[in-house]
Amino acid sequence: MSQQIPQQGSQAARDARGGRIAGIDVARALAVFGMFTVHLGVGSIGVFGADAFGESAAEAVHQLARGRSSALFAFLAGVSLALMTGRTRPLEGTALQRARARILVRALVLALLGLMLDLTGAPIAVILTYYGGFFLLALPLLRLRAPALGAIAAAIAVLGPVLSYLVRDAMGAPGPRYSSIGGITDFLLTGYYPAATFMAFVTAGMAVGRLDLAALRVRAVLAASGAGLALLGYGGSWLLLYPLGGIDRLLQARLGAVDLSATDPVLRAPMRSDIAAELNDLHGQVPTDSWWYLAVATPHSGTGFEIAGAVGTALLVLVACMVAADAAAAPLYPLAAAGSMALTIYTGHILVIAALGFSFQDTAPFRLEAFVIGALLFAALWRLILGRGPLERALGSAGDAVAELVTASSPPVDSGGAGPPQSRR
């Protein structure tokens, strides 16, 4: 996503090379590299060594990236949508029409690109088709300000998982998956990145993008909110599942008519471990066998607790990246360059994985490091020499062309005092 920033505002928040907020690009690069980590698997991490400590550290990094990187990616998409449509002052009139046209083009192209990448056969749940759908769902929200967007994000986080549980329970067991997305039901409820969960990330990001991200007070509030949400999501889930016995309720649901209290205590610990392992291997939503599943906060569980924790983590990462980019712009330039062409980097890594037949099950130490270093070198050199990433440039040109057609074919619309035209990069 390009970042469109009003001409008004603090220059300190902008990258000197063209008006981008460098910290957002750095955060976006971390999100993409987090997805690299998940797609290439634990065995691709070699930097920690091959001993027991190294294996444990690699597993911890992989676990940290799972779920949170895709959530951060969607969250930052929401931030970019807000920046494209006026930042703290939502666009009106003709300017809003042009922005909507650009976003619509992006949505359609991303959806098609996602379907094409799915056909490569790479063992990856491609997010781009979902991503395009999220943009379409966000179109009616572009005129809203931060409080309304925050309220919508909270409502989706609370109600979305419950409605998903009820609807999926009524639908019965889903069929096998043969691709990243199999239709509208997958997009909304049963896919890897269902809108019932991920629109909370997008809308929360839009709310954040409507704030003055250069202001220290705003950053402090975002950091404190992020810490609180992370504690609520992950801490609240742990409290419900372990001290308050939720894991035993889930185990009882698995045992059915067998009374857990009558089970040999020696056997309960491994049975609980089996349940915990299953909870850590979800793929977009929880089972509908017990309401206690909604207390889970593991990656890709799609519960309100996971949403709260992932949004909290995204806020902390965003604030940390903005502070770091302000303090050390030059050292972080390769990361910012990679984040500025996230679509190119994301697409490229899937094509390489498909072409070389890589899998997340491979044991190939330093493969992840090679992918990350290669992406950083490519992005830094490309941006220094040619500017915008190749796919970003093509997508931007297509969006501009459609926006020009929309403007030419529509009568002038009063901007409603929305201010001067927006600078775009």
Side-chain angles (χ1 to χ4, degrees):
M1 287 292 291
S2 63
Q3 297 174 26
Q4 294 191 330
I5 304 176
Q7 291 178 351
Q8 311 99 311
S10 171
Q11 289 292 332
R14 304 184 191 181
D15 178 85
R17 288 169 292 277
R20 300 186 67 91
I21 300 179
I24 296 177
D25 284 333
V26 172
R28 190 179 291 112
L30 295 181
V32 173
F33 293 154
M35 288 189 279
F36 279 20
T37 304
V38 176
H39 298 162
L40 293 170
V42 178
S44 70
I45 304 173
V47 68
F48 299 113
D51 58 7
F53 170 80
E55 292 178 359
S56 177
E59 182 63 43
V61 169
H62 185 267
Q63 182 65 19
L64 185 65
R66 285 191 66 239
R68 296 175 185 86
S69 55
S70 54
L72 176 60
F73 200 48
F75 174 86
L76 293 173
V79 175
S80 292
L81 284 171
L83 297 180
M84 290 178 66
T85 55
R87 199 179 178 187
T88 58
R89 298 176 61 193
L91 296 177
E92 299 285 349
T94 302
L96 180 59
Q97 289 182 352
R98 292 171 61 86
R100 280 176 172 160
R102 291 191 183 97
I103 293 168
L104 179 60
V105 169
R106 282 168 167 75
L108 297 177
V109 172
L110 289 175
L112 291 173
L113 179 59
L115 293 175
M116 292 172 62
L117 290 176
D118 217 25
L119 295 176
T120 64
I124 291 170
V126 180
I127 196 174
L128 293 184
T129 302
Y130 293 89
Y131 213 58
F134 302 154
F135 290 170
L136 293 179
L137 293 180
L139 287 175
L141 308 178
L142 298 179
R143 298 178 64 178
L144 299 180
R145 294 182 180 269
L149 290 166
I152 291 172
I156 296 172
V158 172
L159 299 177
V162 176
L163 293 175
S164 171
Y165 184 99
L166 291 171
V167 173
R168 289 184 294 107
D169 187 43
M171 290 170 54
R177 290 173 174 170
Y178 299 104
S179 62
S180 298
I181 185 168
I184 189 66
T185 303
D186 268 4
F187 170 68
L188 293 174
L189 297 170
T190 59
Y192 291 100
Y193 312 102
T197 297
F198 271 75
M199 278 307 294
F201 303 135
V202 175
T203 312
M206 292 176 69
V208 170
R210 289 280 181 244
L211 303 174
D212 181 5
L213 295 178
L216 292 179
R217 179 177 176 275
V218 170
R219 292 184 178 185
V221 170
L222 290 178
S225 300
L229 284 171
L231 180 62
L232 172 65
Y234 300 127
S237 173
W238 175 85
L239 181 65
L240 287 171
L241 289 179
Y242 294 98
L244 298 182
I247 199 76
D248 286 336
R249 306 301 199 288
L250 293 175
L251 181 55
Q252 183 62 68
R254 176 64 53 83
L255 294 175
V258 178
D259 185 2
L260 179 62
S261 62
T263 306
D264 186 346
V266 177
L267 298 177
R268 291 181 198 169
M271 293 169 70
R272 290 189 184 103
S273 297
D274 289 343
I275 289 289
E278 291 179 15
L279 295 179
N280 198 49
D281 193 31
L282 299 173
H283 300 285
Q285 59 285 138
V286 294
T288 57
D289 301 331
S290 168
W291 283 96
W292 277 96
Y293 278 111
L294 293 179
V296 171
T298 52
H300 295 294
S301 56
T303 68
F305 287 99
E306 191 217 354
I307 295 171
V311 170
T313 303
L315 287 170
L316 292 172
V317 170
L318 176 60
V319 173
C321 288
M322 290 192 295
V323 171
D326 287 348
L332 292 177
Y333 178 76
L335 270 176
S340 74
M341 55 188 78
L343 178 61
T344 296
I345 299 299
Y346 179 87
T347 300
H349 100 281
I350 292 179
L351 292 176
V352 172
I353 287 173
L356 300 181
F358 292 164
S359 167
F360 66 93
Q361 296 177 325
D362 296 343
T363 300
F366 296 103
R367 179 178 287 175
L368 171 63
E369 291 87 341
F371 267 68
V372 171
I373 292 171
L376 290 172
L377 290 173
F378 168 83
L381 291 173
W382 184 284
R383 191 177 182 195
L384 279 171
I385 298 170
L386 298 172
R388 259 180 127 177
L391 290 183
E392 287 73 16
R393 187 183 299 275
L395 198 57
S397 297
D400 288 345
V402 173
E404 291 295 336
L405 289 175
V406 168
T407 303
S409 61
S410 301
V413 179
D414 183 7
S415 65
Q422 309 299 303
S423 62
R424 183 178 60 82
R425 189 178 190 278

